[in-house]
Amino acid sequence: MEQRHFLSGHSLGNFNSSLFLQQISKWKHGNIYALLGILSIAVLIPQQAKAIEITKQLHSPLNHPIGRSLNVKPIREKADRLLRLGKQQYASGFVEKTIESGLQALEIYHSLGDMKSQGVTYDLLAGAYLQLGNLKGAEDAIRRRLGIARDNQDFHNQIFALNNLGTLFLQKGEPKTAGQTIQDALVMARNLENIEGQGLSLSNLSLVYTRLGDYNRAIKLAETALIFRRKTGDVIGEINTLNNLGDAYLFAGDYQNTIASYGTAMRLAKINFVRPDELRAIDGLVTAHTAVGRYERALELLEQRFAIAKFLNSPREELKSLVSSGELYEKMRNYPQARNFYQQALSLARKLDDIKQEAKLLNSLNELKGR
């Protein structure tokens, strides 16, 4: 539930996954962001998880003794290269390519019977699927990851895998279940004196309470989470928690602290090339600056956002930038510019075959006729 988010409307339901980037980037632990405690595993993990795209990893000649290569070193090195590539792609915002690389690596690791590396790869895939809004794919990967951690009595990775499941609950619109799940993970992390797990769980709990409308509690949790993040030198986790803190301040109407939190997150994300979190921070800043009438600053930020989307070659993010720019110009009563951005967005929405967004844009353009 580190959560990758936002743009127009600034809704918590947009997920950030960037959330997951913090653990994906760590080879030692190989985790994603997740939310659930050990007490919930028996209930939440089915005996067999339904396979989606991941199914193809189960079929390989290397699974059979006759077909197994005697020298597996080149094969393992290939899988390791693919996994490293997938992590780099995720950090850079190329989520679809991340899935391609991750699935190829997963197939090889499965054929080698390397459960530890499979777990790391499932973490990566879950984060990527969440970024794309593919909840079924994410749930499959998360439950498989949980199964591996449970079978190995790996409590450290259970904390993070369970946090991922909590993220999924939040995405599904079940904040109370997510909160119970994260609380279980937090208890486990405290019992194990796991500083990293405590930072993650507290950060995720802040998101839950923001969703539930308890902004003061959300702020306190995020501030406490920052202490743990900084103790471990977890920059990516710190960025995500700063974004969570920005969310809470924003909904509480404290725009000064909102801008300070998102601003720090944006700078750190830019320095560390964490594009998803940088976009999320920009979205929060656009909303905050617009709320206090700083339209020029909001427009500058949207220009930055569009440039990042172009760099990432992400038409979806380009579309979000164009729509938000149109909405801002409309708010400023600069209707010619608003129409210009809506027209650009409409053209892109049609290329993406986004019928829902196309209908909204047509409605916006119709309302601007004569203005």
Side-chain angles (χ1 to χ4, degrees):
M1 181 169 46
E2 302 256 84
Q3 187 145 340
R4 307 111 102 184
H5 285 96
F6 305 87
L7 187 65
S8 177
H10 201 87
S11 167
L12 275 172
N14 294 332
F15 186 81
N16 165 42
S17 43
S18 58
L19 329 211
F20 286 68
L21 182 55
Q22 160 192 18
Q23 294 305 318
I24 290 172
S25 67
K26 296 191 176 182
W27 287 84
K28 181 177 179 181
H29 302 303
N31 296 310
I32 274 187
Y33 286 151
L35 317 163
L36 209 35
I38 184 65
L39 300 177
S40 306
I41 295 177
V43 176
L44 293 170
I45 306 302
Q47 292 300 311
Q48 290 185 331
K50 294 182 179 179
I52 307 173
E53 295 91 334
I54 296 171
T55 303
K56 69 178 186 180
Q57 52 122 342
L58 301 175
H59 305 286
S60 169
L62 289 175
N63 287 324
H64 305 288
I66 295 177
R68 184 179 295 276
S69 172
L70 294 177
N71 182 11
V72 299
K73 184 177 179 181
I75 300 172
R76 179 178 297 281
E77 288 177 345
K78 179 181 178 181
D80 291 344
R81 285 195 301 271
L82 285 165
L83 183 56
R84 285 195 298 271
L85 176 61
K87 291 184 177 187
Q88 293 167 2
Q89 291 166 331
Y90 188 92
S92 298
F94 300 107
V95 185
E96 293 181 350
K97 291 186 179 296
T98 297
I99 292 174
E100 292 178 11
S101 299
L103 287 174
Q104 290 179 56
L106 184 63
E107 184 173 3
I108 297 173
Y109 287 136
H110 186 275
S111 71
L112 296 173
D114 185 342
M115 300 300 291
K116 182 177 179 180
S117 295
Q118 286 182 57
V120 176
T121 310
Y122 282 129
D123 285 339
L124 176 66
L125 288 168
Y129 283 130
L130 281 171
Q131 286 276 355
L132 292 175
N134 183 345
L135 300 187
K136 291 180 67 178
E139 182 169 3
D140 181 35
I142 291 168
R143 290 190 181 279
R144 287 176 182 273
R145 192 350 165 202
L146 274 169
I148 291 172
R150 180 188 58 181
D151 290 345
N152 294 329
Q153 294 187 333
D154 182 350
F155 299 111
H156 175 87
N157 280 319
Q158 283 182 38
I159 293 170
F160 295 95
L162 294 173
N163 262 287
N164 285 335
L165 193 55
T167 297
L168 194 65
F169 288 144
L170 198 63
Q171 280 289 87
K172 288 182 173 181
E174 303 173 19
K176 289 185 179 179
T177 302
Q180 293 167 359
T181 295
I182 307 169
Q183 188 62 47
D184 288 342
L186 179 59
V187 169
M188 190 193 307
R190 283 174 172 165
N191 289 338
L192 296 173
E193 297 183 350
N194 186 315
I195 295 176
E196 189 179 10
Q198 290 181 67
L200 171 62
S201 300
L202 288 165
S203 182
N204 283 339
L205 275 174
S206 74
L207 269 182
V208 170
Y209 281 103
T210 297
R211 178 70 66 84
L212 292 172
D214 191 344
Y215 307 129
N216 289 332
R217 188 168 185 181
I219 290 167
K220 291 178 181 178
L221 286 165
E223 289 175 340
T224 304
L226 279 175
I227 297 172
F228 286 96
R229 299 293 212 192
R230 288 165 178 163
K231 279 184 179 179
T232 59
D234 181 1
V235 178
I236 296 175
E238 181 180 351
I239 294 168
N240 191 82
T241 299
L242 283 165
N243 274 330
N244 291 352
L245 185 57
D247 295 348
Y249 278 128
L250 178 66
F251 283 95
D254 185 343
Y255 297 115
Q256 182 176 348
N257 281 313
T258 296
I259 291 170
S261 298
Y262 284 134
T264 304
M266 182 180 71
R267 287 190 292 274
L268 286 174
K270 184 175 182 179
I271 292 170
N272 291 278
F273 303 101
V274 188
R275 300 303 186 186
D277 277 327
E278 186 178 0
L279 290 175
R280 178 186 172 192
I282 289 174
D283 292 341
L285 284 169
V286 168
T287 303
H289 282 295
T290 300
V292 296
R294 296 173 184 162
Y295 300 134
E296 293 303 320
R297 179 54 180 156
L299 288 172
E300 289 174 2
L301 288 163
L302 284 172
E303 288 178 4
Q304 291 180 35
R305 192 188 200 288
F306 186 76
I308 294 170
K310 291 288 286 186
F311 172 77
L312 296 175
N313 191 27
S314 174
R316 289 286 175 188
E317 294 298 342
E318 290 178 42
L319 178 59
K320 291 178 184 179
S321 300
L322 292 169
V323 171
S324 286
S325 296
E327 290 174 347
L328 182 52
Y329 274 116
E330 185 176 357
K331 187 177 184 65
M332 295 168 64
R333 297 186 179 181
N334 187 337
Y335 302 123
Q337 281 285 50
R339 279 193 293 270
N340 177 41
F341 278 98
Y342 284 149
Q343 288 286 2
Q344 292 182 60
L346 179 61
S347 176
L348 188 51
R350 285 170 173 166
K351 287 181 181 178
L352 294 171
D353 198 25
D354 189 334
I355 299 174
K356 185 176 180 180
Q357 188 62 261
E358 180 182 351
K360 288 182 179 180
L361 287 164
L362 286 171
N363 183 60
S364 296
L365 286 167
N366 284 333
E367 290 181 353
L368 290 179
K369 283 183 178 179
R371 290 188 177 184

